[in-house]
Amino acid sequence: MASRRMDLELTEEQALLGDTVAKLIERHCPVSTVRSLVDGGAGFDRETWGSYGAVGLFGLLVPESHGGSSAGADGMVDAALVCEEMGRNLQPGPFVPTLLVAQAVAEGERTVAGTGVLDDLLSGRQIAT
């Protein structure tokens, strides 16, 4: 059996993604904002959620041919990098469920209803739990 090696070094694009997400979080939902959301009982901010959708964070597991932002086999690594930054900054909201439901909808039959649901998930207009 052939030996497999795992590459633990980030590509230049992956490092850029991590930096971009960190800056996006700092701009839209720093920890001080998270504390306010928790204290106010809001859970998460829809405007912030929409800004994450606008840059393609919810499409990391969805092929570009279906409106997502995954260009290949590294979508899961990219999603893990985003999750790392979100966890580091205590970001509220169902990020992982939204990623997985968007992926499932994209892999399913492309109906008019499914396309609308996928578009809403990718844009951040809707969430999934």
Side-chain angles (χ1 to χ4, degrees):
M1 183 184 319
S3 168
R4 290 181 143 172
R5 292 181 177 241
M6 183 183 300
D7 185 3
L8 299 177
E9 296 294 321
L10 296 180
T11 65
E12 189 174 313
E13 291 83 13
Q14 291 166 335
L16 180 61
L17 174 64
D19 290 343
T20 301
V21 171
K23 289 174 185 171
L24 183 69
I25 289 169
E26 182 58 35
R27 186 175 333 121
H28 291 282
C29 196
V31 174
S32 60
T33 300
V34 174
R35 287 187 180 115
S36 296
L37 290 169
V38 170
D39 290 345
F44 70 99
D45 178 58
R46 292 271 182 181
E47 188 174 322
T48 298
W49 199 257
S51 70
Y52 294 163
V55 297
L57 296 186
F58 303 121
L60 293 171
L61 302 180
V62 175
E64 289 177 335
S65 62
H66 288 81
S69 53
S70 175
D74 290 337
M76 190 61 76
V77 173
D78 294 344
L81 291 169
V82 173
C83 287
E84 179 180 25
E85 286 302 324
M86 288 190 156
R88 178 178 292 130
N89 292 283
L90 304 173
Q91 293 300 281
F95 179 71
V96 172
T98 300
L99 283 179
L100 296 176
V101 170
Q103 179 187 33
V105 171
E107 289 176 354
E109 185 176 327
R110 295 286 294 179
T111 63
V112 172
T115 300
V117 168
L118 183 59
D119 291 344
D120 286 346
L121 288 168
L122 295 177
S123 70
R125 288 187 300 267
Q126 290 294 325
I127 62 168
T129 59

